[in-house]
Amino acid sequence: MTEDIRAAVAAERRAQAELLSGLTAEQWHAPSLCEGWTVKHVVAHTTLPFRASGTRVVLEILRSAGRFNHASDRMARKDARLPASDLLNALKKNIDHPWTPPGGGPAGALSHDVIHGLDITVALGLDRRVPHDRLRIVLDGMKPANVRYFGADLDGKRLEATDLDWTFGEGEPVRGLAQDLLLLVCGRTLPAGRLS
């Protein structure tokens, strides 16, 4: 199972590298679904594990008094000053990199790549669908703790995917593509018209 997930991570990174290769300079500087981040900030964040030493990350977290999100934001803003080509090359050279988030394992790495990939494609209005086998791994890992972590307000809502057999929560139905519902779980604000 672990090897299958690692293969899914590599496939997702490969697809994202291909997509990013076709973006214009304007698209690299366009807003993503991550509040306050452009597409370039997101790619700086997702490629950080390939470019930065563990020492740098630990020092940045200490500098942020243990607040990982604060450190992550500062590192993304600093690294977004790099040329887009450098960030893209970091991704291309690390398709098979074994990085996993602390405590997340390979499924956590896949979640990281899929969610941030959607932060880019949905914000840019690109019609990219994450393959269902990858999406299923990510969705199966979503728990109430994720909702709390991301600060999503899903009280009284039952998320119902229209393209996969997947539901989350209880209450008034909110229907849409599974990948859009995943973004809701992660506290993202979606463009109008994507949900019913």
Side-chain angles (χ1 to χ4, degrees):
M1 181 66 171
T2 296
E3 286 309 308
D4 291 345
I5 298 175
R6 288 198 184 282
V9 170
E12 183 64 18
R13 289 179 186 159
R14 197 172 293 111
Q16 288 186 22
E18 184 177 330
L19 181 137
L20 292 169
S21 295
L23 295 188
T24 65
E26 182 180 24
Q27 288 173 312
W28 274 92
H29 291 93
S32 74
L33 292 187
C34 291
E35 190 174 341
W37 280 7
T38 65
V39 168
K40 200 173 183 193
H41 287 111
V42 174
V43 180
H45 171 73
T46 59
T47 60
L48 178 73
F50 317 140
R51 296 179 295 96
S53 68
T55 302
R56 176 193 174 194
V57 174
V58 169
L59 289 174
E60 292 282 5
I61 292 171
L62 290 173
R63 189 172 158 209
S64 293
R67 295 170 298 160
F68 175 77
N69 287 340
H70 185 268
S72 181
D73 181 66
R74 189 174 57 253
M75 288 185 286
R77 290 182 186 284
K78 180 178 179 184
D79 292 356
R81 297 177 197 149
L82 293 168
S85 58
D86 287 5
L87 297 173
L88 179 55
N89 285 333
L91 177 58
K92 288 179 176 178
K93 290 177 183 175
N94 290 282
I95 298 294
D96 295 307
H97 194 285
W99 173 83
T100 60
L110 181 62
S111 295
H112 189 256
D113 290 341
V114 165
I115 293 163
H116 285 308
L118 290 169
D119 286 332
I120 293 169
T121 56
V122 172
L124 292 177
L126 302 176
D127 187 24
R128 177 178 186 252
R129 301 283 178 96
V130 177
H132 283 172
D133 59 329
R134 291 178 221 161
L135 202 52
R136 173 62 68 188
I137 294 167
V138 177
L139 291 168
D140 286 349
M142 289 295 119
K143 307 287 184 245
N146 299 102
V147 176
R148 288 190 298 277
Y149 176 80
F150 288 113
D153 180 14
L154 299 179
D155 287 346
K157 296 183 178 79
R158 174 182 167 86
L159 307 185
E160 298 179 356
T162 56
D163 57 335
L164 270 180
D165 182 18
W166 183 80
T167 61
F168 188 91
E170 297 297 329
E172 182 182 353
V174 176
R175 297 182 181 94
L177 294 176
Q179 65 185 39
D180 288 343
L181 298 178
L182 171 62
L183 289 171
L184 278 190
V185 173
C186 297
R188 304 315 199 253
T189 300
L190 294 170
R194 295 184 74 97
L195 303 171
S196 63

